[in-house]
Amino acid sequence: MITGATSGIGLGCARKFAENGDKVILTGRNGGRLEEIRKELTEKGAQVLTLVFDVRDRAEATRCINALPAEWREIDVLVNNAGLALGVEPEYEGCCDDWDVMIDTNIKGLLTMTRLIVPGMIERNRGHVINVGSVAGDAAYAGGNVYCATKAAVKALTDGLRIDVADTAVRVTNLKPGLVETNFSNIRFRGDTARAKKLYTGIEPLTGDDIADVAVYASNAPKHVQIAEVLILATHQASANLIVRKE
Ligand code: 8X3
Protein backbone atom coordinates (compact mmCIF):
# COMPACT_ATOMS: atom_id res chain seq x y z
CA MET A 1 0.00 0.00 0.00
CA ILE A 2 1.38 3.32 -1.09
CA THR A 3 -0.19 6.58 0.09
CA GLY A 4 0.01 9.67 -2.09
CA ALA A 5 0.60 7.43 -5.10
CA THR A 6 -0.53 9.87 -7.79
CA SER A 7 2.78 11.68 -8.26
CA GLY A 8 6.45 11.97 -7.39
CA ILE A 9 7.96 9.43 -5.02
CA GLY A 10 4.57 7.74 -4.48
CA LEU A 11 4.09 7.20 -8.21
CA GLY A 12 7.69 5.98 -8.51
CA CYS A 13 6.95 3.44 -5.76
CA ALA A 14 3.71 2.38 -7.46
CA ARG A 15 5.57 1.63 -10.69
CA LYS A 16 8.63 0.00 -9.10
CA PHE A 17 6.70 -2.26 -6.69
CA ALA A 18 4.38 -3.25 -9.56
CA GLU A 19 7.43 -4.04 -11.75
CA ASN A 20 8.74 -6.09 -8.83
CA GLY A 21 5.63 -8.27 -9.18
CA ASP A 22 3.85 -7.01 -6.07
CA LYS A 23 0.10 -6.41 -5.87
CA VAL A 24 -0.26 -2.70 -5.19
CA ILE A 25 -2.91 -0.69 -3.37
CA LEU A 26 -2.61 2.94 -4.37
CA THR A 27 -4.20 5.69 -2.32
CA GLY A 28 -4.59 9.38 -3.02
CA ARG A 29 -7.01 12.27 -3.24
CA ASN A 30 -7.20 12.47 -7.03
CA GLY A 31 -9.47 9.64 -8.18
CA GLY A 32 -9.06 10.44 -11.89
CA ARG A 33 -5.27 10.31 -11.71
CA LEU A 34 -5.38 7.10 -9.64
CA GLU A 35 -7.55 5.50 -12.32
CA GLU A 36 -5.07 6.50 -15.07
CA ILE A 37 -2.22 4.96 -13.08
CA ARG A 38 -4.29 1.84 -12.39
CA LYS A 39 -4.87 1.43 -16.14
CA GLU A 40 -1.18 2.01 -16.96
CA LEU A 41 0.01 -0.61 -14.48
CA THR A 42 -2.77 -3.10 -15.20
CA GLU A 43 -1.87 -3.02 -18.90
CA LYS A 44 1.61 -4.11 -17.87
CA GLY A 45 0.15 -7.07 -16.01
CA ALA A 46 0.09 -5.67 -12.46
CA GLN A 47 -2.70 -6.22 -9.95
CA VAL A 48 -3.79 -2.82 -8.72
CA LEU A 49 -6.45 -1.59 -6.31
CA THR A 50 -7.08 2.12 -5.84
CA LEU A 51 -8.57 3.87 -2.82
CA VAL A 52 -9.58 7.51 -2.97
CA PHE A 53 -9.18 9.28 0.36
CA ASP A 54 -7.21 12.02 2.05
CA VAL A 55 -4.98 10.70 4.84
CA ARG A 56 -6.10 13.73 6.89
CA ASP A 57 -9.63 12.33 6.96
CA ARG A 58 -9.30 9.65 9.61
CA ALA A 59 -12.93 8.49 9.38
CA GLU A 60 -12.75 8.05 5.59
CA ALA A 61 -9.33 6.35 5.75
CA THR A 62 -10.73 3.94 8.35
CA ARG A 63 -13.82 3.25 6.26
CA CYS A 64 -11.72 2.50 3.15
CA ILE A 65 -9.31 0.18 4.99
CA ASN A 66 -12.13 -1.68 6.77
CA ALA A 67 -13.88 -2.17 3.42
CA LEU A 68 -10.86 -3.76 1.69
CA PRO A 69 -11.84 -6.97 -0.15
CA ALA A 70 -10.58 -10.13 1.59
CA GLU A 71 -7.83 -10.76 -0.98
CA TRP A 72 -6.37 -7.30 -0.39
CA ARG A 73 -6.44 -7.20 3.38
CA GLU A 74 -3.00 -8.62 4.17
CA ILE A 75 -0.78 -5.65 3.55
CA ASP A 76 2.91 -6.56 3.69
CA VAL A 77 4.42 -3.19 2.89
CA LEU A 78 3.04 0.22 3.84
CA VAL A 79 4.77 3.15 2.16
CA ASN A 80 3.71 6.22 4.12
CA ASN A 81 4.50 8.69 1.37
CA ALA A 82 1.64 11.21 1.38
CA GLY A 83 3.08 14.53 2.43
CA LEU A 84 3.77 18.06 1.31
CA ALA A 85 5.43 21.38 2.03
CA LEU A 86 3.52 24.66 1.83
CA GLY A 87 5.25 28.02 1.79
CA VAL A 88 8.72 29.26 2.63
CA GLU A 89 7.83 32.20 4.87
CA PRO A 90 9.84 32.78 8.02
CA GLU A 91 8.30 30.96 10.97
CA TYR A 92 7.09 34.21 12.59
CA GLU A 93 5.20 35.16 9.40
CA GLY A 94 3.95 31.71 8.35
CA CYS A 95 0.40 30.89 7.34
CA CYS A 96 -1.34 29.01 10.18
CA ASP A 97 -3.62 27.13 7.76
CA ASP A 98 -0.54 25.85 5.87
CA TRP A 99 0.92 24.62 9.16
CA ASP A 100 -2.30 22.69 9.84
CA VAL A 101 -2.24 21.04 6.40
CA MET A 102 1.41 19.99 6.75
CA ILE A 103 1.04 18.73 10.31
CA ASP A 104 -2.26 16.96 9.59
CA THR A 105 -0.88 15.25 6.47
CA ASN A 106 2.80 14.60 7.19
CA ILE A 107 2.44 13.64 10.85
CA LYS A 108 -1.16 12.80 11.73
CA GLY A 109 -1.95 11.17 8.35
CA LEU A 110 1.12 8.98 8.65
CA LEU A 111 0.08 8.03 12.18
CA THR A 112 -3.47 7.22 11.07
CA MET A 113 -2.21 4.87 8.37
CA THR A 114 0.23 3.25 10.77
CA ARG A 115 -2.55 2.76 13.32
CA LEU A 116 -4.83 1.20 10.70
CA ILE A 117 -2.34 -1.12 8.99
CA VAL A 118 0.33 -2.17 11.48
CA PRO A 119 -1.94 -4.21 13.85
CA GLY A 120 -2.52 -6.69 10.98
CA MET A 121 1.24 -6.91 10.39
CA ILE A 122 1.79 -7.66 14.08
CA GLU A 123 -0.95 -10.31 14.02
CA ARG A 124 0.68 -12.01 11.00
CA ASN A 125 4.19 -11.35 12.35
CA ARG A 126 5.11 -10.09 8.90
CA GLY A 127 5.38 -6.66 7.33
CA HIS A 128 7.34 -3.55 6.58
CA VAL A 129 6.58 0.11 7.14
CA ILE A 130 8.51 2.50 4.93
CA ASN A 131 8.06 6.11 5.98
CA VAL A 132 9.10 8.87 3.64
CA GLY A 133 11.04 11.29 5.80
CA SER A 134 13.47 13.86 4.43
CA VAL A 135 16.89 15.39 4.77
CA ALA A 136 14.73 18.26 6.06
CA GLY A 137 14.15 16.20 9.22
CA ASP A 138 17.88 16.14 9.96
CA ALA A 139 18.49 19.88 9.84
CA ALA A 140 16.30 22.93 9.42
CA TYR A 141 16.92 25.30 6.52
CA ALA A 142 15.75 28.83 5.70
CA GLY A 143 11.98 28.93 5.29
CA GLY A 144 11.69 25.22 6.08
CA ASN A 145 10.65 25.62 9.74
CA VAL A 146 7.30 23.77 10.02
CA TYR A 147 7.96 21.39 7.10
CA CYS A 148 11.34 20.46 8.64
CA ALA A 149 9.60 19.92 11.98
CA THR A 150 7.11 17.52 10.41
CA LYS A 151 9.94 15.51 8.88
CA ALA A 152 11.81 15.50 12.21
CA ALA A 153 8.57 14.09 13.63
CA VAL A 154 8.57 11.39 10.92
CA LYS A 155 12.09 10.43 12.07
CA ALA A 156 10.96 10.20 15.72
CA LEU A 157 7.78 8.28 14.84
CA THR A 158 9.73 5.85 12.64
CA ASP A 159 12.29 5.23 15.38
CA GLY A 160 9.49 4.89 17.94
CA LEU A 161 7.61 2.35 15.84
CA ARG A 162 10.79 0.37 15.22
CA ILE A 163 11.24 0.09 18.98
CA ASP A 164 7.60 -0.87 19.51
CA VAL A 165 7.73 -3.73 16.97
CA ALA A 166 11.25 -4.95 17.73
CA ASP A 167 9.89 -8.16 19.26
CA THR A 168 8.15 -9.01 15.97
CA ALA A 169 9.36 -9.67 12.41
CA VAL A 170 7.93 -6.31 11.24
CA ARG A 171 10.58 -3.97 9.82
CA VAL A 172 10.57 -0.19 9.83
CA THR A 173 12.47 2.11 7.49
CA ASN A 174 12.90 5.88 7.24
CA LEU A 175 13.74 6.99 3.69
CA LYS A 176 15.17 10.50 3.75
CA PRO A 177 15.41 12.07 0.28
CA GLY A 178 17.07 15.36 -0.51
CA LEU A 179 16.33 17.30 -3.68
CA VAL A 180 13.91 15.24 -5.81
CA GLU A 181 12.38 16.74 -8.93
CA THR A 182 8.63 16.24 -8.50
CA ASN A 183 5.59 18.45 -8.12
CA PHE A 184 6.78 19.07 -4.53
CA SER A 185 8.24 22.53 -5.15
CA ASN A 186 5.37 23.65 -7.38
CA ILE A 187 3.04 22.97 -4.48
CA ARG A 188 5.38 24.55 -1.96
CA PHE A 189 5.70 27.71 -4.09
CA ARG A 190 1.95 27.74 -4.81
CA GLY A 191 2.22 27.17 -8.55
CA ASP A 192 5.20 29.47 -9.16
CA THR A 193 6.70 27.03 -11.67
CA ALA A 194 9.60 29.32 -12.62
CA ARG A 195 10.73 29.40 -8.99
CA ALA A 196 10.29 25.65 -8.66
CA LYS A 197 12.27 25.06 -11.87
CA LYS A 198 15.10 27.26 -10.63
CA LEU A 199 15.55 25.01 -7.63
CA TYR A 200 16.43 22.13 -9.93
CA THR A 201 18.76 24.01 -12.27
CA GLY A 202 22.53 23.58 -12.24
CA ILE A 203 22.21 20.24 -10.49
CA GLU A 204 20.90 16.86 -11.56
CA PRO A 205 18.24 16.22 -8.92
CA LEU A 206 16.94 12.84 -7.86
CA THR A 207 13.74 11.44 -9.34
CA GLY A 208 10.85 9.69 -7.66
CA ASP A 209 12.11 6.48 -9.26
CA ASP A 210 15.51 6.85 -7.55
CA ILE A 211 13.81 6.88 -4.16
CA ALA A 212 11.45 4.06 -5.17
CA ASP A 213 14.46 1.88 -6.06
CA VAL A 214 15.66 2.18 -2.47
CA ALA A 215 12.19 1.37 -1.10
CA VAL A 216 12.01 -1.78 -3.24
CA TYR A 217 15.55 -2.73 -2.19
CA ALA A 218 14.70 -2.31 1.51
CA SER A 219 11.53 -4.38 1.20
CA ASN A 220 13.38 -7.17 -0.64
CA ALA A 221 16.33 -7.34 1.74
CA PRO A 222 16.70 -10.69 3.53
CA LYS A 223 14.24 -11.00 6.41
CA HIS A 224 16.94 -10.58 9.07
CA VAL A 225 18.09 -7.29 7.52
CA GLN A 226 16.28 -4.10 8.56
CA ILE A 227 17.24 -1.04 6.55
CA ALA A 228 16.52 1.35 9.40
CA GLU A 229 17.26 4.63 7.69
CA VAL A 230 18.61 5.84 4.34
CA LEU A 231 19.65 9.40 3.44
CA ILE A 232 19.50 9.74 -0.35
CA LEU A 233 21.05 12.86 -1.87
CA ALA A 234 21.87 14.03 -5.38
CA THR A 235 25.60 13.79 -5.97
CA HIS A 236 26.06 17.58 -5.75
CA GLN A 237 23.93 17.98 -2.62
CA ALA A 238 25.99 17.50 0.54
CA SER A 239 23.40 18.31 3.20
CA ALA A 240 20.03 20.01 3.70
CA ASN A 241 21.86 23.32 3.42
CA LEU A 242 24.55 22.74 0.82
CA ILE A 243 23.90 22.27 -2.89
CA VAL A 244 26.61 22.94 -5.47
CA ARG A 245 25.10 24.21 -8.72
CA LYS A 246 26.98 24.31 -12.02
CA GLU A 247 26.08 26.75 -14.80
C1 8X3 B 1 12.16 17.34 0.40
C2 8X3 B 1 13.59 17.70 0.32
O1 8X3 B 1 15.36 19.48 0.73
O2 8X3 B 1 13.26 20.21 -0.25
O3 8X3 B 1 11.83 16.89 1.66
O4 8X3 B 1 13.36 19.60 2.06
S1 8X3 B 1 13.87 19.32 0.75
Side-chain angles (χ1 to χ4, degrees):
M1 171 174 283
I2 300 152
T3 67
T6 51
S7 66
I9 295 171
L11 178 56
C13 285
R15 290 184 173 135
K16 294 278 178 177
F17 277 100
E19 269 170 34
N20 188 54
D22 296 307
K23 288 167 74 177
V24 290
I25 302 174
L26 309 179
T27 87
R29 290 172 298 173
N30 183 338
R33 188 68 194 113
L34 277 175
E35 181 52 22
E36 284 169 15
I37 298 163
R38 192 192 64 76
K39 276 197 191 126
E40 172 199 318
L41 299 180
T42 305
E43 273 164 23
K44 291 181 184 152
Q47 291 187 64
V48 184
L49 184 81
T50 57
L51 298 177
V52 185
F53 66 87
D54 184 331
V55 293
R56 290 180 297 169
D57 186 341
R58 191 168 292 150
E60 187 58 7
T62 305
R63 197 194 60 73
C64 287
I65 300 305
N66 288 344
L68 277 172
E71 65 277 22
W72 290 92
R73 297 189 76 85
E74 297 194 357
I75 293 159
D76 286 323
V77 181
L78 169 65
V79 182
N80 266 321
N81 164 74
L84 76 171
L86 288 173
V88 281
E89 293 80 16
E91 193 168 311
Y92 58 89
E93 290 176 345
C95 166
C96 304
D97 290 340
D98 287 351
W99 297 348
D100 287 344
V101 174
M102 287 188 277
I103 291 167
D104 288 349
T105 309
N106 303 4
I107 305 177
K108 291 163 73 180
L110 175 142
L111 271 173
T112 293
M113 296 310 294
T114 301
R115 185 67 185 86
L116 288 171
I117 304 299
V118 175
M121 293 181 174
I122 303 290
E123 218 173 274
R124 295 184 292 278
N125 195 32
R126 186 178 87 227
H128 194 159
V129 178
I130 300 178
N131 287 336
V132 179
S134 171
V135 66
D138 286 356
Y141 52 77
N145 46 70
V146 173
Y147 175 70
C148 295
T150 66
K151 292 300 180 174
V154 170
K155 152 93 179 142
L157 293 172
T158 311
D159 290 348
L161 180 64
R162 194 180 307 108
I163 293 165
D164 292 340
V165 302
D167 59 338
T168 76
V170 175
R171 302 184 292 186
V172 185
T173 298
N174 185 14
L175 287 188
K176 303 188 300 182
L179 200 66
V180 181
E181 187 160 15
T182 62
N183 207 27
F184 177 85
S185 296
N186 268 331
I187 293 170
R188 173 175 244 175
F189 301 142
R190 299 190 177 83
D192 184 344
T193 45
R195 188 169 180 189
K197 203 159 174 254
K198 200 162 164 242
L199 195 66
Y200 304 115
T201 54
I203 182 167
E204 186 177 348
L206 301 168
T207 66
D209 282 1
D210 295 327
I211 309 306
D213 278 336
V214 182
V216 172
Y217 170 81
S219 79
N220 284 294
K223 290 294 168 224
H224 67 289
V225 178
Q226 176 168 228
I227 308 294
E229 187 168 304
V230 189
L231 175 65
I232 311 147
L233 299 176
T235 302
H236 294 290
Q237 176 171 21
S239 70
N241 283 294
L242 192 113
I243 294 172
V244 177
R245 297 176 195 281
K246 303 216 163 90
E247 292 314 312

